Amino acid sequence: MRNSEVNSVVLYNAEDEKSIIDNIFITGVAMNYGMRALDVIESMTYAMNAIRSAVSGGAGTSVMVTLNTDASPTVAGSYTYVSDMLSSLNGNNVASEMNGWAHLTSEYVTKYNPSYIVILDSGTYSSGDYGRMLANLSPEWKNTDAYKNGNIYLLCEDIGELSQRASPRSVQFFEILARILNPDSFPGGIVVPKTIGNDYVSYLTYTKDLGFGD
């Protein structure tokens, strides 16, 4: 692209918090907004450290984070920003033996038997579709502790799209994930529902005002 006189910047693969922050700084400098990028990074880091402190000492729980509700779903394995977030939030990624965003065969859903399942949906469902979604799950999904104990969470609409983008707003997804896995660690009476959509800001405190242009 540079040989063709097209300005271009190579960014890191968003495997963890550090690579997201590095990409923000690189992009900011490339666009002559280096100081603004540093301000954004400082706000993100402060909020994420505060959330980590709030949930510190909590008991670990097994989690599967998926991009769809297929019988054989696409899940977050190791070397993804989602897996990195889980490690900071008392979550044990059941797909950690896989690398990147991996295709999980249906029998492994039952084998891994996650206590929590978080679905990052970018357009299949809306906020009113939770019941329909549950009814359409495969037998393998319905045989997990997450299903039996009512711990399947659907992030759709705005938060579903936001959660799939490694960007400054990932910090808001980080707080939502923290509240799902550690409901007793946050005062203020906010109860995270099983479905979160365009109203996701209503369930934030630490990162509520960090829309970064939203």
Side-chain angles (χ1 to χ4, degrees):
M1 292 178 70
R2 287 172 178 167
N3 288 340
S4 300
E5 299 184 353
V6 176
N7 288 333
S8 57
V9 175
V10 178
L11 300 177
Y12 295 105
N13 189 19
E15 295 180 348
D16 52 25
E17 178 184 338
K18 182 181 184 301
S19 60
I20 293 175
I21 288 174
D22 287 346
N23 285 345
I24 292 169
F25 180 71
I26 293 168
T27 303
V29 170
M31 297 176 65
N32 293 320
Y33 283 96
M35 293 303 296
R36 173 57 178 153
L38 289 175
D39 289 341
V40 168
I41 290 168
E42 182 180 7
S43 297
M44 289 178 62
T45 303
Y46 180 85
M48 294 182 82
N49 285 340
I51 294 167
R52 271 189 284 263
S53 295
V55 303
S56 63
T61 186
S62 60
V63 188
M64 182 175 78
V65 178
T66 173
L67 298 180
N68 50 55
T69 57
D70 295 346
S72 299
T74 301
V75 300
S78 293
Y79 304 106
T80 62
Y81 63 92
V82 170
S83 189
D84 186 55
M85 288 180 177
L86 290 177
S87 66
S88 296
L89 301 173
N90 306 316
N92 299 320
N93 185 3
V94 297
S96 60
E97 64 185 36
M98 310 181 88
N99 291 333
W101 290 93
H103 186 71
L104 195 68
T105 55
S106 58
E107 61 267 23
Y108 271 86
V109 174
T110 302
K111 176 184 175 181
Y112 287 149
N113 189 24
S115 297
Y116 282 76
I117 296 176
V118 180
I119 302 156
L120 314 182
D121 177 75
S122 60
T124 303
Y125 297 106
S126 62
S127 294
D129 291 334
Y130 186 77
R132 177 171 67 88
M133 180 208 72
L134 281 184
N136 290 332
L137 293 178
S138 70
E140 291 85 0
W141 281 58
K142 291 181 178 180
N143 198 35
T144 63
D145 287 345
Y147 179 86
K148 295 172 184 176
N149 297 325
N151 287 326
I152 295 182
Y153 288 80
L154 172 64
L155 307 189
C156 59
E157 299 169 345
D158 284 352
I159 186 62
E161 182 178 356
L162 180 159
S163 62
Q164 297 185 39
R165 299 178 183 274
S167 72
R169 297 175 67 194
S170 295
V171 68
Q172 295 181 313
F173 168 54
F174 185 73
E175 182 174 351
I176 291 291
L177 198 56
R179 290 181 176 276
I180 289 173
L181 300 180
N182 305 272
D184 298 327
S185 296
F186 300 93
I190 295 177
V191 177
V192 176
K194 296 300 187 295
T195 306
I196 307 172
N198 294 334
D199 61 342
Y200 73 95
V201 177
S202 302
Y203 310 106
L204 301 174
T205 54
Y206 293 87
T207 64
K208 186 171 185 176
D209 298 321
L210 300 184
F212 303 119
D214 180 30

